[in-house]
Amino acid sequence: MTFHTLGIETSCDETAASVLGDTSTIMSSVVSSQIDMHARYGGVVPEIASRAHVELITPVVADALGEAGVEGKDIDLVAATSGPGLIGALLVGLSAAKALALVWDVPFIGVNHLEAHLYASFLEEPDLEFPLVVLLVSGGHTMLIEMRGFGDFEILGSTVDDAAGEAFDKVARYLGMPYPGGPEIDRLAMQGDPQSIKFPRPMRNEGLDFSFSGLKTAVVNHVRKNPDVSAEDVAASFQEAAVDVLLTKAERAVERVGAKGLCLGGGVAANSQLRERALDLSISKGIQVYLPSRSMCTDNAAMVAAAGRRRFVDDGPSSLWLGADPSLKLTS
Ligand code: KG4
Ligand code: ZN
């Protein structure tokens, strides 16, 4: 009999629900984005996000069940993101998950959002071999993680200041583009010359930690001094510098731990240039590179269901007393 997990994700500005069959069959994955509600403020407004989650959670869960062709009585486990993220936003998904688990009389499990991003690759490629290095690049986090098995990982490096996605968003905002800026920079960069401006690559040549705030400041200073510079060239040169640093460090991490492969995850892993360069790395250096589809890189609930299912097998259910933790850390 198929084991059905309902996953719920509400940590930021996406209300998402998904039904997973067994460990890796995505029966449905519904993502309702609130981007339009936040765009005019240039970023996510926490109170607006919480209110939108309250309105959307019931229809999104209903859609996920409907698309999967199952009913509440068919669900065996309810998983929801418990952190990190916006406290009000997290509480909506967590409370809904606990209520559904109580009504359906099934176990509930809280999921770390970062761990969920790590497991996204396995939904499309269940046979990936360990040890793996995962480059997790999102709006709030930039990390290199060694994965030795399910539930067995170690953070090798992380950003000392801004996350990569945050740098994309801030540069885009400075160039007058709407939130979220990553996809806008990606599009604009296609028409620019990536070699036209030599932006700095902070901390590129040593270690596995990242720094993006100096690169962002260099972009702002360059545009200030050269007001007529082409926005396309700025976008392409900024993206070139960011991608160069990300992949140089990822390659270093793969060599250091003797990894069998490199996986990308998080919203920035949807970036065209990052994906193209990662594939170049696989050809030139013989590193096995796995790129999840774009919809699995950005926030979704299928990855939450997958991480919840794996954790449930190893550790059992969470208590219904589990609270939301806005700064939850990634631990094995
Ligand atoms: O993982 P995610 O959906 O949410 C978080 O957990 O943060 O990542 C969102 C981030 C945003 O900063 C967004 O600008 C960035 O991912 N992003 C991109 C692209 N698509 C989304 N950055 C660069 N290029 C893209 N194509
Ligand atoms: Zn995320």
Side-chain angles (χ1 to χ4, degrees):
M1 259 227 329
T2 306
F3 187 99
H4 295 109
T5 305
L6 172 68
I8 294 179
E9 157 62 36
T10 62
S11 67
C12 191
D13 60 343
E14 259 101 27
T15 316
S18 164
V19 176
L20 199 70
D22 294 323
T23 50
S24 57
T25 309
I26 302 173
M27 298 176 69
S28 65
S29 179
V30 178
V31 180
S32 173
S33 171
Q34 309 171 3
I35 282 175
D36 295 346
M37 296 179 204
H38 301 285
R40 68 175 137 143
Y41 302 102
V44 177
V45 182
E47 181 60 22
I48 293 177
S50 309
R51 284 168 189 251
H53 285 309
V54 169
E55 281 176 20
L56 290 165
I57 190 73
T58 305
V60 165
V61 168
D63 278 0
L65 294 175
E67 275 184 29
V70 299
E71 295 175 32
K73 66 174 171 47
D74 302 315
I75 297 297
D76 300 292
L77 171 69
V78 184
T81 304
S82 62
L86 302 169
I87 183 78
L90 287 166
L91 282 170
V92 177
L94 207 56
S95 310
K98 289 176 185 175
L100 291 171
L102 273 173
V103 169
W104 296 333
D105 196 19
V106 294
F108 150 81
I109 189 158
V111 172
N112 183 312
H113 181 82
L114 301 173
E115 188 171 328
H117 272 300
L118 290 187
Y119 285 53
S121 302
F122 293 88
L123 283 170
E124 294 169 326
E125 201 78 14
D127 300 323
L128 288 176
E129 276 186 85
F130 298 112
L132 275 175
V133 165
V134 184
L135 173 63
L136 181 51
V137 270
S138 71
H141 300 273
T142 300
M143 290 178 174
L144 278 164
I145 297 146
E146 178 188 357
M147 246 186 123
R148 293 182 287 255
F150 293 113
D152 181 8
F153 33 76
E154 186 184 332
I155 299 173
L156 302 170
S158 50
T159 181
V160 298
D161 42 52
D162 290 353
E166 201 178 343
F168 272 86
D169 293 339
K170 285 178 177 169
V171 165
R173 191 172 177 178
Y174 189 71
L175 295 175
M177 289 180 283
Y179 175 85
E184 300 289 329
I185 296 269
D186 196 343
R187 259 194 299 278
L188 203 62
M190 286 176 193
Q191 275 102 52
D193 174 4
Q195 308 303 332
S196 57
I197 309 160
K198 292 277 170 281
F199 285 127
R201 274 107 164 118
M203 297 172 72
R204 179 186 189 274
N205 297 327
E206 82 243 26
L208 298 175
D209 285 333
F210 302 89
S211 165
F212 286 102
S213 86
L215 170 59
K216 171 201 67 193
T217 308
V219 173
V220 170
N221 288 341
H222 185 89
V223 176
R224 226 175 250 152
K225 279 190 209 136
N226 306 276
D228 298 329
V229 68
S230 119
E232 287 81 359
D233 286 349
V234 173
S237 302
F238 158 75
Q239 183 176 269
E240 176 79 8
V243 167
D244 178 29
V245 173
L246 289 171
L247 290 180
T248 302
K249 303 254 178 185
E251 186 186 340
R252 187 173 297 143
V254 168
E255 280 166 12
R256 190 170 293 182
V257 304
K260 297 230 168 76
L262 170 69
C263 282
L264 265 51
V268 181
N271 183 265
S272 317
Q273 175 80 350
L274 181 62
R275 297 171 79 85
E276 211 171 288
R277 284 296 164 83
L279 291 177
D280 290 347
L281 200 66
S282 105
I283 295 163
S284 65
K285 298 283 165 74
I287 297 172
Q288 286 270 358
V289 171
Y290 187 68
L291 301 173
S293 61
R294 283 182 161 84
S295 60
M296 272 305 128
C297 291
T298 49
D299 288 349
N300 65 84
M303 66 183 194
V304 174
R309 171 81 172 110
R310 299 260 183 207
R311 274 278 169 184
F312 177 70
V313 170
D314 292 341
D315 302 343
S318 301
S319 153
L320 287 174
W321 292 102
L322 180 81
D325 182 350
S327 44
L328 187 64
K329 299 282 178 281
L330 184 67
T331 46
S332 274

